[in-house]
Structures are given as structure tokens and as C-alpha cells.
Amino acid sequence: MAFTSVEEYNEEKYRHKFKLDDDGESADVIFLYRSKRDMLRADVHYLISDTYTGYVHCLGVGCPVCARKKADGSMLIRKQNKFFIPVYNIYKDGGVIEFWERYYNKGFELQFDKEVFNISPNPSECVFKITRKGGFNDQNTRYSFVAVGRNTIATYDQILAKFNAKMPDYYENVVKAFSASELTDMMQSSSAPSSVSSMPEYIPMPRAGYQSSIPDTFVSAADAVGAADITDTSDDAILSEFDNNDGDSGDLPNIDAPF
């Protein structure tokens, strides 16, 4: 097995995927939606096998991935309900199409309606700035969407033509479709991330010939040197909330950038 750099590994793993890692990080994008009807979600599994690692479409009734169970009867590889939002990331590598992976929930959908579709029923006609509000791995992370200008960079059709892309076929770059028989074959060599709850308890065993140096008779440190006051302190968790941004696309400036 040959070594690869961490940079090369991450580049391959996150190819075609839009991500903001740090608090306050932002990107100017064109959402590749022409109406709310273009917004798609999917039931998916994340599969790790010898031949493919990544998201696959759940087949619903009779899905062989769903059929794999833990001892308690729950799914070994869980089913996830997700958005994969296509964006044209304007300033990354001269402009690339990426997919923003988000869990489907009503709160996110309502926010997207308010901050994107209510500003422009055809979001591809505007440039939006997405800003992350929350540090890396922060479970309370939120995102804001602000329309910053009319799209004068390239139309929806021009962007797709640039990459010889067709929607929704281009979603195959992040979620692949396989038949039941193909998934069954892949499952023979698949694995799922282990969880702490599924691990056996660790029972310490003394090494052969080991003898503890701790005396059998316990002497309290307070009795030996006098009792001391100990005060417990803890930090309060600080939670931040995102600000909703309202606007009117009619008042937006033009945004120019190399296509």
C-alpha cells in the first residue's frame, strides 16, 4: 500500500462537495435551482466497501442495506434523509459545481425558503453569500444566506454546459444508484463505523508477575496534611444564533467575476 498525502486524501474525499469548516467562513455561490421544484432530497446510506465508499440511494422496500441489522434489531447502516444542494462555487478553482450535504429538516427548509426563494423565486439569477456561524464540529452551527447581487457571471444553462452536466444526472457525483443485487454484492465486503455502545466492556487484567506498589492500608491525605477546601468551577456554554436576512432582489447590485 502506497502512502498518499493528507491533502490528496481530503481532496479526493471532498471532491464535488461544498463545505465551510470554520466560524465566520463564507463563500459566494449561485444556487443551481430555477424554482422550488428543483430542490431535491433523498434517503441514502453511507456505504464502505472494497469497490465503493460513499453515499448510495436507499431502495426502500427490499433494500439489502436496510436488511442488515444489529443484535437489537436496529439498522447496522442507518438510513439518512438528506438534501444535496447544487451550487456553483464562484471563486473556488475558477468556478466549480459542488453539492452541499445537509440533513433534511423542516427548520432548514423554512429558513431556505425565507432567505433564498423569497428573495429570488429563481435563485440561479442571484449570487448568494453563505456564512457559517459556529466552530468546527459545533452541533449548534447555523448558516445564513444573503443575496449580494444579480448574477451576471453565467446563466444556469451556461454553467451546466461548462461542465457538460445535466440535472439531476450530475447528482451521481455524490450519491450513486445501484441495483439490489449490486448492493448485496457490495455488502459482502462492507463495514459500518463502530460505536462505543456496541463495544464490549474493557476489563483490566494484571500482568503476569505484577505486584501493586499501593499499600494495603489506606491513609487519608486529609488526615496526613490537613483538610483543604476544594471548589468546583464550570464554564457556561455560550450558544450563538444566526440572524435572518430579508431583502429584495430588485435592489441588488450586479456581481461580475471570471466565468
Side-chain angles (χ1 to χ4, degrees):
M1 178 183 293
F3 283 105
T4 59
S5 71
V6 173
E7 187 177 63
E8 290 173 332
Y9 170 79
N10 286 330
E11 183 179 345
E12 178 62 28
K13 181 178 180 180
Y14 296 110
R15 183 175 298 172
H16 301 297
K17 294 182 180 179
F18 175 83
K19 55 197 285 287
L20 300 173
D21 291 327
D22 301 318
D23 182 36
E25 188 175 353
S26 64
D28 290 350
V29 307
I30 299 168
F31 290 110
L32 296 179
Y33 292 147
R34 291 165 298 180
S35 73
K36 181 70 181 286
R37 291 189 300 274
D38 288 343
M39 195 173 193
L40 306 178
R41 52 146 301 277
D43 291 327
V44 298
H45 300 283
Y46 192 86
L47 195 62
I48 301 173
S49 74
D50 290 342
T51 55
Y52 173 72
T53 294
Y55 285 108
V56 300
H57 283 283
C58 175
L59 299 183
V61 177
C63 177
V65 184
C66 292
R68 291 194 67 181
K69 306 292 185 182
K70 298 179 183 178
D72 62 4
S74 62
M75 289 184 185
L76 179 64
I77 300 177
R78 65 193 177 101
K79 180 168 65 175
Q80 303 176 54
N81 186 358
K82 290 204 168 187
F83 289 118
F84 292 90
I85 301 173
V87 302
Y88 180 65
N89 196 342
I90 297 171
Y91 296 109
K92 181 178 178 181
D93 300 330
V96 292
I97 295 178
E98 297 181 315
F99 290 88
W100 190 24
E101 173 189 334
R102 305 298 303 156
Y103 280 104
Y104 174 84
N105 64 71
K106 197 62 180 177
F108 181 83
E109 182 182 356
L110 291 174
Q111 182 197 359
F112 204 88
D113 283 347
K114 180 179 182 180
E115 299 182 14
V116 178
F117 286 113
N118 284 355
I119 302 302
S120 176
N122 181 349
S124 70
E125 294 180 341
C126 290
V127 174
F128 286 84
K129 183 181 292 293
I130 305 176
T131 303
R132 180 185 176 114
K133 299 187 177 182
F136 180 75
N137 225 21
D138 183 351
Q139 297 300 309
N140 296 304
T141 293
R142 297 290 184 269
Y143 295 87
S144 66
F145 313 102
V146 178
V148 294
R150 298 187 189 91
N151 173 17
T152 58
I153 297 168
T155 66
Y156 175 93
D157 290 331
Q158 288 172 336
I159 293 171
L160 294 189
K162 178 180 177 181
F163 298 94
N164 194 27
K166 180 182 178 182
M167 295 295 184
D169 297 356
Y170 207 68
Y171 282 78
E172 278 283 306
N173 285 294
V174 287
V175 185
K176 293 192 179 298
F178 294 99
S179 67
S181 60
E182 288 173 327
L183 287 176
T184 299
D185 291 340
M186 293 169 66
M187 293 295 288
Q188 302 305 315
S189 61
S190 70
S191 60
S194 61
S195 64
V196 174
S197 61
S198 65
M199 296 179 182
E201 292 184 358
Y202 174 76
I203 302 175
M205 300 292 292
R207 297 190 301 272
Y210 171 81
Q211 184 174 357
S212 174
S213 61
I214 301 175
D216 294 334
T217 303
F218 174 76
V219 179
S220 170
D223 293 338
V225 298
D229 291 333
I230 300 175
T231 303
D232 289 332
T233 61
S234 60
D235 294 330
D236 293 329
I238 300 175
L239 302 179
S240 62
E241 297 180 354
F242 60 84
D243 295 324
N244 289 328
N245 294 280
D246 298 323
D248 184 349
S249 60
D251 297 328
L252 298 176
N254 292 334
I255 299 295
D256 296 303
F259 175 49

